[in-house]
Amino acid sequence: MSTSTRGTLNVMIKHCQNLDKLFEILTEALNLPKELIDIDSSVANVKSWDSLATISLITSLEAKFSISIQIEEIEYIVSTKAIVELLKLKGVIFNI
């Protein structure tokens, strides 16, 4: 396997690991089985996604992705897709 191919595979694996990590965080914070969390999960369709769950999400996201979420960014913690976009802005790599 060439160095270039190996590098591409490592990046792809990292993308999957980050999405898996996000889903684990969502599962824990929203107290839901993993099967019920997907890219379309949001405040609108997950009953347990309330203000306390949002605080738990923020704390876990900051700890597990080594980022800092500013007060003005909290409004973006309303869906899996929005969280992915916020994390991308903070340098976390996703391939969705």
Side-chain angles (χ1 to χ4, degrees):
M1 182 181 304
S2 72
T3 304
S4 175
T5 303
R6 197 171 311 127
T8 301
L9 284 174
N10 286 338
V11 169
M12 289 172 59
I13 290 168
K14 185 69 174 169
H15 293 192
C16 292
Q17 289 173 340
N18 285 337
L19 190 58
D20 287 345
K21 188 187 302 186
L22 175 57
F23 283 177
E24 286 175 27
I25 292 167
L26 287 163
T27 297
E28 289 175 22
L30 301 175
N31 196 27
L32 289 173
K34 191 174 186 178
E35 303 80 43
L36 296 180
I37 301 293
D38 62 25
I39 197 68
D40 295 316
S41 298
S42 72
V43 172
N45 60 26
V46 177
K47 191 172 190 169
S48 62
W49 196 325
D50 58 14
S51 59
L52 291 176
T54 300
I55 298 300
S56 179
L57 278 170
I58 292 166
T59 304
S60 295
L61 290 167
E62 288 181 327
K64 296 202 176 166
F65 286 106
S66 300
I67 61 166
S68 179
I69 296 174
Q70 304 302 312
I71 291 172
E72 55 274 357
E73 294 170 324
I74 293 173
E75 67 185 88
Y76 299 107
I77 311 293
V78 295
S79 71
T80 305
K81 288 178 184 175
I83 293 170
V84 166
E85 291 307 312
L86 177 62
L87 291 172
K88 283 180 176 179
L89 289 173
K90 296 191 172 287
V92 179
I93 299 171
F94 288 92
N95 190 18
I96 302 176

